[in-house]
Amino acid sequence: PGARGVELKVRSSSDKPQTLTVEMRGTVIDKRVLSDHEWYTLSYSIPPSKSTPVGGEWLVLRVDPPWRVRRDRRIFGVMTRDLKWID
């Protein structure tokens, strides 16, 4: 609850470009196209809040389009790593 920021790395494994939309507290804070297989560091500050919303604070990553590996029924978004909450 005391975090003032968040940092993470993202990477697409898709063979086509994917649009990554980042939302915080229900508001879109970033949108970017991932068109290669490089790792990208995303860093965001978390604005102060007078109260915690019902269900807590949420950081949401939405990926369009999701992708599927041939002969696999699972649906994938993007890879993430190194998530850090910054105090």
Side-chain angles (χ1 to χ4, degrees):
R4 294 185 299 144
V6 62
E7 182 178 290
L8 72 150
K9 294 182 181 176
V10 297
R11 177 181 179 258
S12 173
S13 291
S14 177
D15 55 354
K16 297 179 181 174
Q18 292 179 293
T19 300
L20 175 67
T21 302
V22 182
E23 297 177 11
M24 187 178 299
R25 296 184 188 142
T27 302
V28 173
I29 60 169
D30 193 9
K31 191 177 266 199
R32 59 183 66 207
V33 175
L34 303 175
S35 57
D36 57 28
H37 301 291
E38 299 296 318
W39 285 100
Y40 292 94
T41 301
L42 308 178
S43 184
Y44 306 104
S45 60
I46 301 173
S49 177
K50 294 181 181 178
S51 64
T52 302
V54 174
E57 305 277 4
W58 289 98
L59 178 69
V60 177
L61 306 178
R62 299 191 191 281
V63 181
D64 185 48
W67 69 281
R68 202 177 269 187
V69 178
R70 284 189 177 156
R71 298 184 195 101
D72 193 330
R73 295 171 61 173
R74 296 176 293 169
I75 297 173
F76 299 96
V78 294
M79 292 190 287
T80 62
R81 71 176 189 196
D82 301 335
L83 173 67
K84 299 174 193 171
W85 297 104
I86 302 163
D87 294 331

